[in-house]
Amino acid sequence: MKSIEVVAGIIFFKNQILCVQRPESKHQYISKKFEFPGGKVEPEETKIEALQRELLEELNIIPAIKSLYLTVEHTYPDFKVTMHGFLCEVDSKALSLREHISQEWLKPEELNQLDWAAADIPIVQKLQSNH
């Protein structure tokens, strides 16, 4: 089974967190699910460099990346993912959705209103338990 290493941005604007919705996929378990934006770490990159690149590519933003928040290991039906979630801050909600189909800015206690990708759920739970 393939293993991939990814980074995700837990992007705060004041007390709200950016949640983005994946497009439709042939894989039902991730199709149209919400996630924290990010993507794969390339071989020559650090985790921070990968997150900066992915957030610029996907959302056209350059947030302040603060610290590693949680690393999640999850096994989907056809691959394993190790996801490093980083706390980030932006000073504006302005962004461009280049790969996702929608966005929500929610307070931590509101996050469970969304249908999250399984690998993102431990981050959602930790964010909610800290508020």
Side-chain angles (χ1 to χ4, degrees):
M1 184 177 289
K2 185 171 78 166
S3 291
I4 60 169
E5 185 173 26
V6 300
V7 287
I10 306 158
I11 301 170
F12 279 84
F13 175 76
K14 299 186 177 163
N15 65 340
Q16 293 184 311
I17 300 167
L18 176 63
C19 315
V20 290
Q21 189 176 19
R22 297 179 65 97
E24 198 163 331
S25 167
K26 65 179 192 268
H27 300 297
Q28 203 53 43
Y29 54 86
I30 55 172
S31 184
K32 296 191 172 179
K33 299 281 188 183
F34 277 85
E35 66 180 0
F36 298 103
K40 291 182 186 141
V41 179
E42 300 295 340
E44 72 285 354
E45 290 178 314
T46 66
K47 293 176 188 70
I48 299 287
E49 289 168 344
L51 186 57
Q52 288 170 327
R53 176 184 52 76
E54 287 285 349
L55 295 176
L56 190 58
E57 286 174 7
E58 291 184 5
L59 303 170
N60 196 32
I61 60 171
I62 302 172
I65 300 172
K66 298 295 186 184
S67 61
L68 179 64
Y69 184 68
L70 186 64
T71 295
V72 176
E73 295 199 8
H74 184 79
T75 303
Y76 284 107
D78 55 350
F79 68 97
K80 289 182 184 174
V81 63
T82 301
M83 181 171 67
H84 308 283
F86 287 84
L87 294 174
C88 305
E89 291 177 3
V90 290
D91 52 17
S92 162
K93 288 185 179 181
L95 54 85
S96 302
L97 291 180
R98 295 178 171 164
E99 296 181 15
H100 297 89
I101 59 174
S102 75
Q103 69 182 36
E104 301 274 347
W105 288 92
L106 298 176
K107 295 177 182 171
E109 61 270 19
E110 299 170 328
L111 293 174
N112 60 3
Q113 298 171 11
L114 302 177
D115 185 13
W116 289 90
D120 293 76
I121 291 173
I123 294 174
V124 170
Q125 291 170 335
K126 183 176 178 184
L127 287 164
Q128 291 184 314
S129 70
N130 289 347
H131 277 75

